[in-house]
Amino acid sequence: MGRTTPPRPVDMAALFPEIGPYARTATRLHPRPGAPTAGTSSVGGPLLWPVAEPWPVCREAHPRSYGIRPADVRRRREILAAAWLRPRPAAGGLAYAGDEEAELDAMAEGPHPPPLPDDAPVPLMALAQLFVRDVPALAEFAPGDTDLLQVLWCPFDEHRSIPCAPALRLVWRRAAQVTEVLAGRQPEPEVVEDEGYVPEPCVLHPEQVTDFPWHEYLPDALAARIRIWEEGPAQELPGAPSYRADLSLAPGWKAGGWDNWSVTDLQRQYCDCGRELRLLLTIDSSEWGGASWWPCEDPSPTDPDLPPVPLVGEPTEIAVGRYGAYRVFVCPADASHPHRADVQ
């Protein structure tokens, strides 16, 4: 089943015609729990990885043996999902079965043997793969005749390129050239720093939407007119839409579009070649961005009859920063130039 974003409550291009040239097409990925394969676009699924190509590793110096095992992360999620769906005990709390509660207690973060030196190679974790056929917003970035983007990361902080989040690797390839695929369990680290760095397998339901810029990208006069409109009498009514929350930036995982700067002021990103970087991918901690963005086909997260698990607005279980969004920027002239990433 596809996903459809409701029409915007106000047509910004009709209200402010001068904003029209700033519109960008983004692809909302709409990840939802499923069983992706190596031949499909996904988050947390197997990659279409050539059997003869070495799996990438991280060699940057940072601690590698302290955290939680990915297997424990997945088991913990399984236990909690089952417990949420059972009738609650009279004393409150979740309804665990058998030794589940003791099993959870044994999964605390900590050191895990064998201790690894800080420069030992760590296999990167497969995060996502996106076929251009499914995600048209990637077409303007794909170098050469590539038609597949694979995203991996090292699930530890303290990297040179991004000190408080995982370091990410982008791999562009031509899918038809992968004739023999790496089968079985793909490599991953024995330990991750945080359970929010382990993705749940999700299939995608890509949808093309229109993004308008964060207000600091707009000319001052236009941004001021929008602000005056937002502060006008019509906007004082309950539920009135705002530019920032309802009319500009689509929330959740998306390819292309515009970037949000709600934590810091706008910090324009530039390539070493001098070109201003463009947003390639947003890896969001939540699909939820307000009622106006919730897909028509999904039950509302505020539905009192909806069980809390699986988490409606957090299907990938990825959590970065303070429950923020990890953004990846690339050079519009050549996506093979070094990318940059940050968290907002």
Side-chain angles (χ1 to χ4, degrees):
M1 177 175 64
R3 295 297 188 278
T4 308
T5 300
R8 296 301 79 215
V10 172
D11 184 345
M12 288 300 294
L15 194 61
F16 300 96
E18 60 267 51
I19 204 174
Y22 292 91
R24 286 182 182 173
T25 298
T27 303
R28 294 190 74 185
L29 301 181
H30 294 305
R32 297 295 184 271
T37 69
T40 62
S41 295
S42 68
V43 169
L47 302 186
L48 189 75
W49 197 268
V51 68
E53 184 175 324
W55 192 266
V57 299
C58 177
R59 297 182 182 275
E60 282 196 46
H62 59 71
R64 285 152 157 71
S65 302
Y66 189 95
I68 186 168
R69 297 184 188 277
D72 288 346
V73 172
R74 297 180 180 112
R75 176 58 181 154
R76 180 179 182 275
R77 292 171 180 171
E78 180 183 334
I79 291 173
L80 292 177
W84 272 111
L85 296 175
R86 298 183 188 119
R88 296 292 184 92
L94 295 179
Y96 296 111
D99 296 330
E100 288 178 343
E101 195 165 9
E103 193 175 350
L104 289 175
D105 291 340
M107 295 178 186
E109 292 185 10
H112 292 274
L116 296 174
D118 287 355
D119 59 352
V122 174
L124 300 188
M125 174 165 282
L127 182 63
Q129 75 169 9
L130 307 173
F131 288 86
V132 173
R133 66 175 186 246
D134 300 322
V135 188
L138 294 178
E140 64 177 299
F141 301 106
D145 63 350
T146 59
D147 60 359
L148 172 61
L149 172 63
Q150 295 173 323
V151 185
L152 307 95
W153 67 8
C154 177
F156 292 90
D157 297 338
E158 301 181 34
H159 295 92
R160 291 189 302 273
S161 58
I162 182 165
C164 298
L168 184 136
R169 185 85 55 90
L170 302 177
V171 178
W172 293 93
R173 66 171 80 251
R174 180 73 179 161
Q177 294 178 347
V178 184
T179 56
E180 190 174 358
V181 181
L182 179 65
R185 181 174 176 271
Q186 295 188 339
E188 66 179 18
E190 288 294 324
V191 177
V192 301
E193 183 160 334
D194 189 279
E195 64 181 271
Y197 296 164
V198 180
E200 277 295 295
C202 287
V203 296
L204 306 184
H205 304 275
E207 177 199 18
Q208 301 283 87
V209 297
T210 298
D211 259 7
F212 288 108
W214 179 251
H215 64 88
E216 290 177 285
Y217 280 113
L218 297 172
D220 291 344
L222 176 55
R225 287 182 59 212
I226 293 174
R227 185 170 60 253
I228 291 170
W229 169 77
E230 285 187 306
E231 295 171 353
Q235 296 304 101
E236 295 178 2
L237 299 174
S242 73
Y243 179 75
R244 173 174 163 179
D246 303 290
L247 306 173
S248 54
L249 299 157
W253 284 62
K254 69 180 180 182
W258 283 96
D259 34 298
N260 184 315
W261 293 90
S262 58
V263 176
T264 67
D265 291 334
L266 171 63
Q267 299 174 7
R268 292 180 180 269
Q269 308 288 305
Y270 289 93
C271 181
D272 293 341
C273 74
R275 293 288 297 272
E276 185 169 6
L277 301 181
R278 285 276 303 273
L279 179 67
L280 172 74
L281 183 64
T282 300
I283 298 164
D284 211 333
S285 298
S286 174
E287 292 295 296
W288 179 246
S292 73
W293 292 104
W294 196 250
C296 301
E297 296 80 3
D298 285 341
S300 169
T302 59
D303 184 344
D305 296 325
L306 192 70
V309 174
L311 299 172
V312 176
E314 305 160 25
T316 69
E317 303 254 17
I318 290 293
V320 290
R322 294 183 177 180
Y323 202 67
Y326 187 114
R327 297 98 54 77
V328 186
F329 298 86
V330 296
C331 180
D334 189 341
S336 67
H337 290 178
H339 70 271
R340 294 188 183 175
D342 74 357
V343 175
Q344 282 280 313

